[in-house]
Amino acid sequence: MIGPVSRIMEEVARKHGLTLDELKKHTTSPRYAWPRQEVMYRCVTETKAPYRAIAAALGLKDHKSVVVGVPLHAERLVWLARMTAVSPLHSDIHRKGYFTSSILRAS
Protein backbone atom coordinates (compact mmCIF):
# COMPACT_ATOMS: atom_id res chain seq x y z
CA MET A 1 0.00 0.00 0.00
CA ILE A 2 1.18 3.53 -0.71
CA GLY A 3 2.10 5.59 2.38
CA PRO A 4 -0.16 8.64 1.91
CA VAL A 5 -3.06 6.51 0.66
CA SER A 6 -2.72 4.23 3.67
CA ARG A 7 -2.67 7.23 6.02
CA ILE A 8 -5.83 8.67 4.44
CA MET A 9 -7.57 5.30 4.66
CA GLU A 10 -6.76 5.05 8.36
CA GLU A 11 -7.94 8.63 9.04
CA VAL A 12 -11.24 8.14 7.21
CA ALA A 13 -11.87 4.74 8.82
CA ARG A 14 -11.26 6.21 12.27
CA LYS A 15 -13.47 9.25 11.52
CA HIS A 16 -16.39 7.00 10.53
CA GLY A 17 -15.87 4.31 13.16
CA LEU A 18 -14.85 1.63 10.65
CA THR A 19 -12.00 -0.84 10.46
CA LEU A 20 -9.83 -0.94 7.35
CA ASP A 21 -11.48 -4.23 6.39
CA GLU A 22 -14.92 -2.61 6.63
CA LEU A 23 -13.71 0.32 4.54
CA LYS A 24 -12.66 -2.15 1.83
CA LYS A 25 -15.94 -4.08 2.11
CA HIS A 26 -17.52 -4.76 -1.29
CA THR A 27 -20.95 -3.24 -0.72
CA THR A 28 -22.91 -0.27 -1.99
CA SER A 29 -24.40 0.49 1.43
CA PRO A 30 -23.79 4.20 2.18
CA ARG A 31 -22.38 3.19 5.59
CA TYR A 32 -19.32 1.82 3.75
CA ALA A 33 -19.49 3.34 0.26
CA TRP A 34 -19.53 7.00 1.33
CA PRO A 35 -16.40 6.74 3.48
CA ARG A 36 -14.74 4.72 0.70
CA GLN A 37 -15.61 7.53 -1.75
CA GLU A 38 -14.19 10.04 0.72
CA VAL A 39 -10.92 8.09 0.65
CA MET A 40 -10.94 8.18 -3.15
CA TYR A 41 -11.62 11.93 -3.21
CA ARG A 42 -8.97 12.75 -0.61
CA CYS A 43 -6.37 10.54 -2.30
CA VAL A 44 -6.96 12.26 -5.64
CA THR A 45 -6.94 15.77 -4.16
CA GLU A 46 -4.21 15.33 -1.52
CA THR A 47 -1.76 12.91 -3.12
CA LYS A 48 -0.28 12.18 -6.50
CA ALA A 49 -1.37 8.56 -6.35
CA PRO A 50 -2.73 7.22 -9.64
CA TYR A 51 -6.31 5.98 -9.76
CA ARG A 52 -5.14 2.39 -10.21
CA ALA A 53 -3.06 2.56 -6.99
CA ILE A 54 -5.99 4.02 -5.06
CA ALA A 55 -8.25 1.26 -6.38
CA ALA A 56 -5.70 -1.40 -5.46
CA ALA A 57 -5.35 -0.03 -1.92
CA LEU A 58 -9.14 -0.23 -1.50
CA GLY A 59 -9.26 -3.76 -2.89
CA LEU A 60 -11.23 -2.74 -5.98
CA LYS A 61 -11.06 -4.62 -9.29
CA ASP A 62 -10.00 -1.61 -11.33
CA HIS A 63 -9.78 2.17 -11.30
CA LYS A 64 -13.28 2.76 -12.71
CA SER A 65 -14.81 2.84 -9.23
CA VAL A 66 -12.42 5.65 -8.34
CA VAL A 67 -13.34 7.53 -11.51
CA VAL A 68 -17.00 7.35 -10.44
CA GLY A 69 -16.50 7.76 -6.67
CA VAL A 70 -14.47 10.99 -6.73
CA PRO A 71 -17.16 13.18 -8.36
CA LEU A 72 -19.86 11.58 -6.20
CA HIS A 73 -18.06 12.65 -3.05
CA ALA A 74 -17.39 16.09 -4.52
CA GLU A 75 -21.13 16.50 -5.17
CA ARG A 76 -21.84 15.41 -1.60
CA LEU A 77 -19.44 18.08 -0.31
CA VAL A 78 -21.18 20.77 -2.38
CA TRP A 79 -24.57 19.65 -1.08
CA LEU A 80 -23.31 19.67 2.49
CA ALA A 81 -21.83 23.16 2.08
CA ARG A 82 -25.18 24.43 0.82
CA MET A 83 -27.06 22.79 3.67
CA THR A 84 -24.62 24.17 6.25
CA ALA A 85 -25.17 27.67 4.92
CA VAL A 86 -28.94 27.25 5.25
CA SER A 87 -29.26 25.44 8.56
CA PRO A 88 -27.10 25.43 11.70
CA LEU A 89 -28.37 21.89 12.37
CA HIS A 90 -26.58 20.61 9.28
CA SER A 91 -23.45 22.44 10.40
CA ASP A 92 -23.61 20.67 13.77
CA ILE A 93 -24.23 17.33 12.09
CA HIS A 94 -21.17 17.72 9.87
CA ARG A 95 -18.92 19.10 12.61
CA LYS A 96 -19.67 16.18 14.90
CA GLY A 97 -19.13 13.68 12.08
CA TYR A 98 -22.72 12.42 12.12
CA PHE A 99 -23.23 12.97 8.42
CA THR A 100 -21.92 9.59 7.36
CA SER A 101 -21.39 7.75 10.60
CA SER A 102 -24.05 7.92 13.32
CA ILE A 103 -27.01 8.55 11.03
CA LEU A 104 -26.09 5.67 8.76
CA ARG A 105 -25.51 3.23 11.60
CA ALA A 106 -29.27 3.14 12.05
CA SER A 107 -29.74 1.95 8.46
Side-chain angles (χ1 to χ4, degrees):
M1 215 181 296
I2 301 169
V5 173
S6 175
R7 178 186 51 79
I8 290 170
M9 287 176 63
E10 290 172 1
E11 289 174 4
V12 172
R14 188 173 31 252
K15 173 184 170 187
H16 295 282
L18 301 173
T19 65
L20 288 178
D21 287 338
E22 288 174 324
L23 191 63
K24 296 177 185 180
K25 197 172 191 175
H26 295 287
T27 178
T28 57
S29 165
R31 167 91 174 103
Y32 305 103
W34 289 6
R36 194 168 47 248
Q37 291 166 354
E38 180 179 344
V39 168
M40 296 172 193
Y41 176 85
R42 286 190 55 195
C43 287
V44 167
T45 59
E46 298 175 22
T47 73
K48 294 182 180 184
Y51 282 29
R52 290 183 196 282
I54 297 166
L58 288 167
L60 303 171
K61 284 189 237 177
D62 58 40
H63 70 287
K64 293 174 190 171
S65 295
V66 180
V67 171
V68 172
V70 170
L72 286 175
H73 188 71
E75 288 175 20
R76 199 172 299 115
L77 290 176
V78 169
W79 176 86
L80 187 58
R82 287 182 181 152
M83 291 298 104
T84 339
V86 172
S87 167
L89 172 64
H90 286 88
S91 177
D92 190 48
I93 287 171
H94 180 64
R95 184 176 47 77
K96 290 183 179 178
Y98 294 137
F99 182 63
T100 57
S101 55
S102 300
I103 291 173
L104 294 176
R105 280 196 185 108
S107 56

